[in-house]
Amino acid sequence: MTLLPHRRALRPRALVAASALALLAGCASAPNATLRGTGDLGVVVERASGSVAVVDTSAHQVLERVEGLGDLSHASVKFARDGRYAFIFGRDGGLSRVDLLRGEITHRVMQSGNSIGGAISQDGTRVAVANYEPGGVRIFDSQTLEPVADLPATYRDANGETQRSKVVGLVDAPGNRFVYSLFDAGEIRVVDMSGDPQVTRFSGIGQQPYDALIDPSGRYYIAGLFGEDGLALLDLWHPENGVSRILPDYGRGEERLPVYKMPHLEGWTMAGRQAFFPAVGRHEVLVADTADWTLSDRIAVHGQPIFVMSRPDQRQIWVNFAHPNNDVVQVIDTQRREVIATLSPGDAVLHMEFSPRGEQVWVSARDSDRITVYDTHTFEEIARLESESPSGIFFTHRAHRIGL
Amino acid sequence: MTLLPHRRALRPRALVAASALALLAGCASAPNATLRGTGDLGVVVERASGSVAVVDTSAHQVLERVEGLGDLSHASVKFARDGRYAFIFGRDGGLSRVDLLRGEITHRVMQSGNSIGGAISQDGTRVAVANYEPGGVRIFDSQTLEPVADLPATYRDANGETQRSKVVGLVDAPGNRFVYSLFDAGEIRVVDMSGDPQVTRFSGIGQQPYDALIDPSGRYYIAGLFGEDGLALLDLWHPENGVSRILPDYGRGEERLPVYKMPHLEGWTMAGRQAFFPAVGRHEVLVADTADWTLSDRIAVHGQPIFVMSRPDQRQIWVNFAHPNNDVVQVIDTQRREVIATLSPGDAVLHMEFSPRGEQVWVSARDSDRITVYDTHTFEEIARLESESPSGIFFTHRAHRIGL
């Protein structure tokens, strides 16, 4: 599940000044750098070694390995709008800016004691990080990692005491906004960064939101609830309507098997009017009609699904699974709504990433120390890359998508 | 309208060998080149001077000007998957490959006497060009512009004579396919480039298809008909069903005003279940329900619409117009279905391009020799760039979208 226990009892380390790493701002050519486009680059998180591999999706090669990124368990990555810089959000509160062309860290700050992902603003100027400890959101300049705003997730508990909540499900939204959820407070908050930060709060959205997604248009923000069934939906085009509950039976009420890992909501797929998403604790992918959010189908799969991801043309859904069924990936045909392929990319399959137009997919198998690249039309293996305990895979075209 | 008269009576010039321009394949750094990401680059076609301006969408600047591209009236541009190389399809049959980082042409071929746009394959290895003269499609290696395939658009006319048709509406589709229409033959053809080219023909699709579009998922190919009303729809997921007719009243039957220019079909907008598209010859934007392709609304606008383009979040539609109303751009709210802003970017507004996440839009005003950049939330002018007779504007994120 996304909500990991605190792994460290570190005191929140105040913002450590941006380290004085190479600040060469990428103008003239220089040794050590490769003149090339950045549209076919990506990074693979190698969590055991605290490094990322910079990969070339045309040549199917690892180009560089960038080390010194700290604790990368559950790390995620966003990209600057130029496709050159990657922002790596570490579990330990480290935020690093990596130059993919030089293969080096340009800036790094320890911005909290425990964090869980981040986002980049629509205009590319701001990077936000969701923190567990101290609970809140911190926002930085994307060029310098200088702090811009600090938004503590304070709320009053049942006794009227002021507390800080863990923050989860942080995403960008159109209008230079960030949206996030407060696990302990049961709130969704929206911050508008067009000028001075303006925070809007939505309270009482449900018990323990643990993760969230935003749809590809940036309109619908949906938070999963750990403490009760159903999902919380905020229509960002109509914030005046507040937060509503959808799919009321979704969640632990579905449970028939022990839940090994809460599925990732980022992995939801909206394909036309259909949403495909992982059941909680059951060996099923669920299908809902996005017009009224009713459940329309259940597709039997190999294990408890974690990521349920659409090929960009929406004709296929690729699914990976929780332990102990995590050595398999399955492919669902979205029209027939049935499994059409079962592949074995290795042990502990953690993530998948499609090339932007969908002709290939990269799959990480942590315990086999490898990435396998498949042709999504033939399911043939195109390439295999060595990587140390690979987890998340992120390609630079994400820079150009809302919510990614 | 897209179907321009032949402007030259050139004999088809056989393929001119790729000119021996700099073949430096972009590895090591070199003088004259800028180490930078390519995700925020774009090109603006300057048709009077046969040049393109390379632009930076972060700094709002022209970085380079690349000349010697021939006749760029009605030119279009596609990008390699690395975002570094642009393919410029000239009106005169010239196909040029431009290195955006070095600001120079790497390869150029005169591949026909008269051409009308092109496409790049899903895997990025093939570039296809639609030719009027000689009618057909030619396909090239995207690295070298060496010819790979020549697909003459031959057909038998009413007298049983073999003729060659002009080709229009060429797009890429998933599965390394290209789809295109034969103006004179009333056909749609699909070529699968996964191995040796395999062409599938769909005959009798309607009179004189003059342009086409493919939806963002790459499933629906829709051709506009110049010779009769309605549109021809091919569902690429179900080619066995053949081509059907949709929106039977769409076209010249709509006409009440003289048609100054047939609207661009590329400009159609699919926003959720709604399609917004230009009426032919009327001062209206039409709205259809994509579930059954019935017309659901007509929105009154300033002139005859040419491009009807959705902001990436689908909340706004931006529209430009045919002569003599072509000094204005209007913005439609997709929920209210009414005009919410009217802007005056200059004389002869020819094209618009949104930044990938939609926070800004670039608008070309040919007769004012300028590009205006607007904030799409406030409608304020962010920047103004000088450009010689600018027409099409194309940003590199198109490399990562099906059909763009």
Side-chain angles (χ1 to χ4, degrees):
Chain A
M1 55 169 286
T2 297
L3 190 79
L4 295 174
H6 286 191
R7 297 189 27 191
R8 286 185 189 66
L10 295 178
R11 279 169 305 155
R13 282 169 268 182
L15 292 176
V16 174
S19 56
L21 291 163
L23 272 166
L24 296 162
C27 276
S29 57
N32 225 4
T34 302
L35 185 70
R36 58 163 298 146
T38 51
D40 56 352
L41 295 181
V43 302
V44 177
V45 173
E46 299 177 319
R47 62 184 187 183
S49 50
S51 60
V52 297
V54 179
V55 297
D56 175 334
T57 68
S58 297
H60 306 121
Q61 288 180 344
V62 174
L63 300 177
E64 307 263 8
R65 187 156 274 117
V66 182
E67 298 179 331
L69 295 164
D71 179 359
L72 296 187
S73 52
H74 223 281
S76 64
V77 178
K78 303 288 171 183
F79 295 97
R81 73 192 300 283
D82 65 2
R84 176 174 179 177
Y85 299 100
F87 299 92
I88 318 284
F89 304 92
R91 183 71 202 173
D92 53 6
L95 167 61
S96 307
R97 180 175 179 269
V98 168
D99 181 345
L100 302 183
L101 292 177
R102 292 182 189 275
E104 64 188 23
I105 299 169
T106 68
H107 301 76
R108 178 169 162 81
V109 294
M110 291 303 298
Q111 58 82 45
S112 79
N114 191 324
S115 68
I116 189 71
I120 187 160
S121 63
Q122 185 183 29
D123 69 1
T125 65
R126 298 288 180 260
V127 174
V129 192
N131 290 317
Y132 278 9
E133 184 57 45
V137 171
R138 281 186 164 149
I139 300 178
F140 301 87
D141 182 288
S142 65
Q143 300 275 335
T144 63
L145 298 194
E146 290 295 320
V148 170
D150 187 2
L151 307 171
T154 50
Y155 70 103
R156 285 186 191 277
D157 67 14
N159 301 323
E161 303 287 327
T162 296
Q163 305 283 356
R164 286 181 80 145
S165 170
K166 296 181 195 68
V167 171
V168 299
L170 172 66
V171 300
D172 65 278
N176 269 334
R177 289 178 294 176
F178 294 112
V179 189
Y180 52 98
S181 296
L182 278 60
F183 178 82
D184 306 292
E187 281 191 24
I188 292 172
R189 293 188 183 178
V190 180
V191 57
D192 185 334
M193 296 297 296
S194 302
D196 289 334
Q198 298 287 336
V199 177
T200 306
R201 297 171 61 160
F202 299 87
S203 310
I205 63 117
Q207 295 292 312
Q208 297 178 312
Y210 74 95
D211 193 10
L213 67 94
I214 192 162
D215 83 294
S217 75
R219 175 174 179 175
Y220 297 110
Y221 179 84
I222 301 174
L225 302 174
F226 192 69
E228 59 186 298
D229 286 347
L231 296 149
L233 171 74
L234 175 61
D235 178 352
L236 291 166
W237 291 14
H238 293 289
E240 71 279 8
N241 292 345
V243 173
S244 55
R245 188 66 57 91
I246 60 170
L247 290 165
D249 298 325
Y250 182 74
R252 298 173 72 85
E254 292 271 345
E255 185 177 358
R256 286 190 190 163
L257 299 166
V259 178
Y260 291 107
K261 181 171 165 66
M262 289 294 279
H264 272 267
L265 290 187
E266 193 214 337
W268 277 45
T269 289
M270 309 264 188
R273 274 185 57 171
Q274 301 179 117
F276 293 79
F277 54 102
V280 177
R282 296 174 62 133
H283 294 195
E284 289 175 349
V285 168
L286 307 177
V287 188
D289 183 331
T290 58
D292 59 7
W293 293 104
T294 53
L295 198 66
S296 53
D297 210 349
R298 297 168 179 271
I299 302 166
V301 290
H302 173 78
Q304 295 183 11
I306 299 296
F307 281 104
V308 172
M309 303 180 77
S310 173
R311 198 172 70 174
D313 69 349
Q314 303 182 349
R315 183 138 196 201
Q316 293 175 354
I317 304 284
W318 288 57
V319 187
N320 72 337
F321 302 99
H323 178 84
N325 299 111
N326 58 354
D327 57 348
V328 157
V329 163
Q330 287 191 313
V331 184
I332 293 170
D333 179 291
T334 55
Q335 284 206 302
R336 290 156 55 191
R337 294 186 176 182
E338 61 186 33
V339 172
I340 57 169
T342 299
L343 306 172
S344 298
D347 297 327
V349 173
L350 292 190
H351 201 218
M352 301 170 285
E353 178 86 333
F354 290 94
S355 59
R357 293 186 180 204
E359 76 281 4
Q360 49 177 275
V361 64
W362 292 44
V363 181
S364 61
R366 183 192 62 201
D367 294 350
S368 296
D369 290 316
R370 70 169 173 250
I371 304 284
T372 308
V373 184
Y374 291 100
D375 179 315
T376 63
H377 293 283
T378 63
F379 305 127
E380 284 170 12
E381 185 177 317
I382 299 171
R384 191 179 284 202
L385 291 80
E386 286 184 18
S387 174
E388 293 177 62
S389 303
S391 54
I393 309 173
F394 305 90
F395 296 159
T396 54
H397 73 280
R398 288 174 172 253
H400 305 134
R401 309 286 167 114
I402 294 164
L404 292 187
Chain B
M1 57 169 284
T2 298
L3 189 78
L4 295 174
H6 285 190
R7 297 187 29 190
R8 286 184 189 68
L10 293 178
R11 279 170 304 156
R13 282 170 271 183
L15 291 176
V16 175
S19 56
L21 291 163
L23 273 164
L24 297 162
C27 274
S29 58
N32 225 6
T34 303
L35 185 71
R36 57 164 297 146
T38 50
D40 56 352
L41 295 181
V43 302
V44 177
V45 173
E46 299 177 319
R47 62 184 187 181
S49 50
S51 59
V52 297
V54 179
V55 297
D56 176 334
T57 68
S58 297
H60 307 119
Q61 287 179 346
V62 174
L63 299 177
E64 306 264 8
R65 186 157 273 116
V66 182
E67 298 180 331
L69 296 166
D71 180 358
L72 295 187
S73 52
H74 222 281
S76 64
V77 178
K78 302 289 169 182
F79 294 97
R81 73 193 302 282
D82 65 2
R84 174 174 180 178
Y85 298 100
F87 299 93
I88 318 286
F89 304 92
R91 183 69 203 173
D92 54 7
L95 167 61
S96 307
R97 180 174 178 271
V98 169
D99 180 345
L100 303 181
L101 292 177
R102 291 182 190 275
E104 66 188 21
I105 300 170
T106 67
H107 300 75
R108 177 168 163 80
V109 294
M110 291 303 297
Q111 58 82 43
S112 79
N114 191 325
S115 67
I116 189 70
I120 188 161
S121 62
Q122 185 183 28
D123 69 1
T125 65
R126 298 290 180 257
V127 174
V129 192
N131 290 317
Y132 278 11
E133 185 56 44
V137 171
R138 281 185 163 149
I139 300 178
F140 300 87
D141 182 289
S142 65
Q143 300 274 336
T144 63
L145 298 195
E146 290 293 322
V148 170
D150 187 2
L151 307 171
T154 50
Y155 70 102
R156 286 186 190 276
D157 66 14
N159 301 321
E161 303 287 326
T162 297
Q163 305 284 355
R164 286 181 80 143
S165 170
K166 298 181 194 69
V167 171
V168 299
L170 172 66
V171 300
D172 65 277
N176 269 333
R177 290 178 295 177
F178 294 113
V179 190
Y180 52 98
S181 296
L182 279 60
F183 178 81
D184 306 292
E187 281 190 23
I188 293 172
R189 293 189 183 177
V190 180
V191 56
D192 185 332
M193 297 296 296
S194 301
D196 290 333
Q198 297 287 337
V199 177
T200 306
R201 296 170 61 160
F202 299 87
S203 310
I205 63 116
Q207 295 291 313
Q208 297 178 312
Y210 74 95
D211 194 10
L213 67 93
I214 194 162
D215 84 294
S217 74
R219 175 173 179 177
Y220 296 109
Y221 179 83
I222 300 174
L225 301 174
F226 191 68
E228 59 185 299
D229 286 347
L231 295 149
L233 171 74
L234 175 60
D235 179 351
L236 292 165
W237 291 14
H238 293 288
E240 71 280 7
N241 293 346
V243 173
S244 56
R245 189 66 58 90
I246 59 169
L247 290 164
D249 298 326
Y250 182 74
R252 298 171 74 84
E254 292 270 346
E255 185 177 358
R256 285 188 192 166
L257 299 166
V259 178
Y260 293 105
K261 182 171 164 66
M262 290 293 280
H264 273 266
L265 290 188
E266 193 214 336
W268 278 45
T269 290
M270 311 262 187
R273 274 186 57 169
Q274 301 179 117
F276 293 79
F277 54 102
V280 178
R282 296 174 62 134
H283 293 195
E284 289 175 353
V285 167
L286 306 178
V287 188
D289 183 328
T290 58
D292 58 6
W293 293 105
T294 52
L295 199 65
S296 53
D297 210 349
R298 296 168 179 273
I299 303 166
V301 290
H302 173 78
Q304 295 184 11
I306 299 294
F307 281 103
V308 172
M309 303 180 76
S310 174
R311 197 172 71 174
D313 70 348
Q314 305 184 347
R315 183 137 196 202
Q316 294 175 354
I317 304 284
W318 287 58
V319 188
N320 72 337
F321 303 99
H323 176 85
N325 299 111
N326 57 355
D327 57 346
V328 157
V329 163
Q330 287 191 314
V331 184
I332 294 170
D333 179 292
T334 55
Q335 282 207 301
R336 290 155 56 191
R337 294 186 177 183
E338 61 186 33
V339 172
I340 57 168
T342 299
L343 306 172
S344 298
D347 297 327
V349 173
L350 294 191
H351 202 215
M352 301 169 286
E353 179 86 333
F354 289 94
S355 58
R357 292 186 181 205
E359 76 281 6
Q360 49 176 276
V361 63
W362 291 45
V363 181
S364 61
R366 184 192 61 200
D367 295 350
S368 296
D369 291 317
R370 71 170 173 250
I371 303 285
T372 308
V373 184
Y374 292 100
D375 180 314
T376 64
H377 293 283
T378 64
F379 305 126
E380 285 170 12
E381 185 177 317
I382 300 171
R384 191 179 285 203
L385 291 79
E386 287 184 18
S387 175
E388 293 178 60
S389 302
S391 54
I393 309 173
F394 305 90
F395 295 160
T396 53
H397 72 281
R398 288 174 173 253
H400 305 134
R401 308 287 167 114
I402 294 164
L404 293 186

